[in-house]
Each structure stands twice: as structure tokens, then as C-alpha cells.
Amino acid sequence: MVAAAAVVVAVGTVAGTLSALGDGRGGDEARPEVTRSPHLDRLPVVPSPPAAEASPTAFPRRTASPTPSVSRTEKKRQPAPPATRLYRHPDSQVLDWVRAHPGDPRTPVIASRIAGRPAAVWFADFTPSTIASRVRAVTSGAAAQGRVPVVVAYAIPGRDCGGASEGGAPGLAAYDGWIDSFAAGLGSGAVVVILEPDAIAQSDCLSGAQRAARFASLARAGRVMKAADPKARVYYDAGHSDWNPAAEQAARLKQAGAASAASSDGVFSNVSNFNSTSDEIAYDRRVLAALGGPASLGAVVDTSRNGNGAPADGAWCDPAGRRIGRAPTLSTGEARIDGYLWVKPPGESDGCEGAPGTFSPSYAYDLASS
């Protein structure tokens, strides 16, 4: 069995508590359960700019605009540049810890190297009545700063194949409604959507009919989100380079709508894992080549803690000797690689350095200082 690292996340504006995944190739992961309500009243806080974030180029739709004619008495109007810098949401476990521990000797390192950088915001609880407003709180906060948020939709029925992180919507009809509400919160600005980690790579537990229904629902989800917000970029689950072969994963992705520009902007890989960026780039390019579809499809890689690559022994639960990877950015300089993202917030435990889903300052410090 190939281990896929534990995902420990903040669920929307909610801290996640996770437990280890069950069996299945690539399935040694942990996923969140909601433990507290969101603090939407904190959104007006304006965080300082993320530390060490690369200065990106236009992301990533590059369409030339005609130059307007300018009269002698009319000032030339410059179009507003698209939002290209990633958003750091002001409500997260690492920021809570930094604010509460100003005198801790580890705080400067954790604050500058982890808390100061943008990470994804997860929505993993099935709450149809509040999901639109919670997503909107994040996207509107990002829009106010002219930045791009990364949000994770994680409520697919049959999540984790019935393992420790089971949950999500009670059925696909309910899930489709949840997605409609999720999409309603996206607004009209640039946003990156990570659509259902593991939902495609880890679908072997489903029957053929169940898998086809799930994939149809995922294809619909992408269409709904892109119709609701034409600037949204939706990425589909490619697993990671040590899981399914690229051709096999591409075949699954095609069934889930990932080859259609109406649903998809490409794929994501390495969520919560430790595989090296170079391995993921090579793998993602193979997946995209096998997937087909428009040349505009790209990939994003989770680099949150892959700075030293995967452990040789395949350990996945807060393994020692790891470190944070490349800083989150939407400018990679790599063909067909749209971004390096911190989908899993570094320092949130897999369950060995602390309770699953909780922030571990010791582990965060080890990741940031090694």
C-alpha cells in the first residue's frame, strides 16, 4: 500500500479534528470533522502581506486586450490588473497560536515561515444552510484585498470509502444542492477551487454504477462553479505520483469531466503528501497528456510540507525530517503548472504530534526550521 500523507486542515473558518484514514491504496490520510463554529466577524481584519510569496505574473488566462485610442484631452485608462496574489485568511489555527504566544521562542519562525503565508480554506462539513455565506466570507475578504483565495470543497458522499474520515453529504442529490450553495458563495472574482481530494483517486470501493454517478456529480460540480463565477478555476483530483498510474488516473478524470473546459481548469496533486515537487510536475504532465482536452488545462501541486520529499519508509503520520516546501504562488515558471499551493496547512497534526487536526507548534517549528 502506498501511503498518502494525513490531511489536517482548517474547515472553512473552522478548526478541523481528524483521524487516520482506513485502508486503500494511497489512503493513509486523515480528514476533518467540525469542532467549532466559524468566526465570520473576524473577516475585516487585514493581514500583513504573506512572507516570501513570489511575485506572480498574470494568472493564468492570458488574453490580449485591444489598446483603446486616446484623444489628446483624454487620459489613457489602464485596465485593472487581474488578482494574482494568493489570499491569507485571517482565521486559522496557526494564526491563533501565534497571536496567543508572542513570547514563545518558536513564534518568530512559525509566524514568518508558516503563518505569514497563504493556505487553503477547507469546507468539509455538510451544512447546506450556511455554506454559501461561509464561502462568501472568504471570497469577499480576498476580493477586498485584490487577492486569490484557495478553497477546498470536501463533502462528497461516501467520503473516505467508509473509513475514519467518512462523512459528507447523505447522498448525491443532497451533495448537488450543497454544491449549488457553495458556488453561490464564490462571488465574481478569481478563486481557486480544489474539488474533493481523493474522490477520484480513491474510488475503488464504489461499484461501477456508484462510481459513474459520483463522477457525473463531480462533472456537474465543476460546471456549476464555473457558471456561477467565470473567474473561478476548478481543479480535479489527480491523487499523487505514488498512487495510480497516470494513464489510469487520467481515464478516471475524463469520466469526471476534468477534460472539459466547461467543468475544469485541470488537476491537483500531492494534497497533504510529501512527494517532491519535481516528481509531481512530471506526474501531472503525464496525467494532462493522457487526459487530453484543451491546452489551457494545467495542474497545481501541494507543496506545504514536501521540502525534503517523501520519507523513505513511507511514514505518513507527522513523519520526522520533513520540511515546508516551496512558498505558495501562482507563478511557477513551469509549463502547465499553474501554481504551488499549501492545501494542507503546515503544522496541523496527522495524529502523532498531537490530536488529529490540531495545530502542533513543535511539529510546525520542525517543518519551518529544518
Side-chain angles (χ1 to χ4, degrees):
M1 181 177 69
V2 178
V7 170
V8 183
V9 302
V11 183
T13 55
V14 184
T17 299
L18 313 187
S19 51
L21 266 168
D23 294 333
R25 188 178 186 198
D28 289 336
E29 306 188 17
R31 299 297 190 195
E33 297 174 1
V34 175
T35 58
R36 59 183 173 92
S37 298
H39 301 295
L40 300 184
D41 57 325
R42 297 171 62 177
L43 265 175
V45 176
V46 178
S48 57
E53 182 185 346
S55 298
T57 56
F59 165 65
R61 289 188 176 90
R62 302 174 180 85
T63 57
S65 299
T67 303
S69 59
V70 182
S71 69
R72 293 181 181 178
T73 59
E74 181 184 14
K75 291 183 179 180
K76 184 176 181 180
R77 295 179 180 177
Q78 296 294 336
T84 59
R85 293 178 69 83
L86 290 164
Y87 174 61
R88 184 188 70 168
H89 188 50
D91 191 3
S92 67
Q93 291 192 74
V94 62
L95 282 168
D96 286 347
W97 186 88
V98 166
R99 291 166 182 146
H101 298 85
D104 191 295
R106 299 167 295 186
T107 295
V109 170
I110 293 173
S112 63
R113 299 182 186 177
I114 296 179
R117 292 175 175 171
V121 182
W122 286 65
F123 297 89
D125 53 329
F126 181 69
T127 52
S129 63
T130 62
I131 186 63
S133 61
R134 290 168 54 213
V135 173
R136 187 178 300 113
V138 175
T139 57
S140 61
Q145 297 182 25
R147 291 176 178 257
V148 182
V150 179
V151 296
V152 183
Y154 187 59
I156 196 76
R159 193 171 66 193
D160 189 20
C161 288
S165 292
E166 65 182 341
L172 286 176
Y175 177 73
D176 291 347
W178 185 84
I179 286 292
D180 291 345
S181 297
F182 190 106
L186 293 177
S188 58
V191 56
V192 173
V193 180
I194 304 298
L195 181 61
E196 298 295 342
D198 293 350
I200 298 173
Q202 189 186 35
S203 58
D204 292 331
C205 62
L206 304 176
S207 68
Q210 289 171 331
R211 185 185 299 183
R214 171 183 285 191
F215 290 174
S217 194
L218 289 172
R220 178 190 181 276
R223 291 194 303 271
V224 167
M225 291 183 184
K226 292 182 70 62
D229 179 5
K231 293 182 180 178
R233 296 188 63 83
V234 180
Y235 292 89
Y236 281 71
D237 169 39
H240 58 74
S241 58
D242 285 334
W243 201 341
N244 297 320
E248 177 185 334
Q249 190 64 23
R252 298 184 184 197
L253 283 159
K254 187 172 293 187
Q255 294 176 57
S260 169
S263 301
S264 168
D265 291 278
V267 303
F268 63 82
S269 72
N270 208 43
V271 167
S272 185
N273 218 293
F274 304 90
N275 296 311
S276 71
T277 302
S278 59
D279 285 349
E280 292 305 301
I281 288 173
Y283 168 73
D284 288 340
R285 286 174 175 162
R286 292 196 301 271
V287 170
L288 290 169
L291 180 62
S296 60
L297 297 182
V300 294
V301 179
D302 186 353
T303 60
S304 59
R305 52 181 194 174
N306 72 343
N308 281 339
D313 60 359
W316 63 269
C317 186
D318 302 327
R322 301 311 96 200
R323 66 182 175 92
I324 54 176
R326 300 188 187 190
T329 181
L330 298 176
S331 180
T332 69
E334 293 282 351
R336 305 199 78 175
I337 307 301
D338 293 343
Y340 303 133
L341 305 177
W342 284 9
V343 181
K344 173 187 171 123
E348 293 187 12
S349 177
D350 298 328
C352 293
E353 290 287 330
T358 59
F359 180 73
S360 168
S362 60
Y363 192 47
Y365 183 77
D366 288 345
L367 288 169
S369 60
S370 56

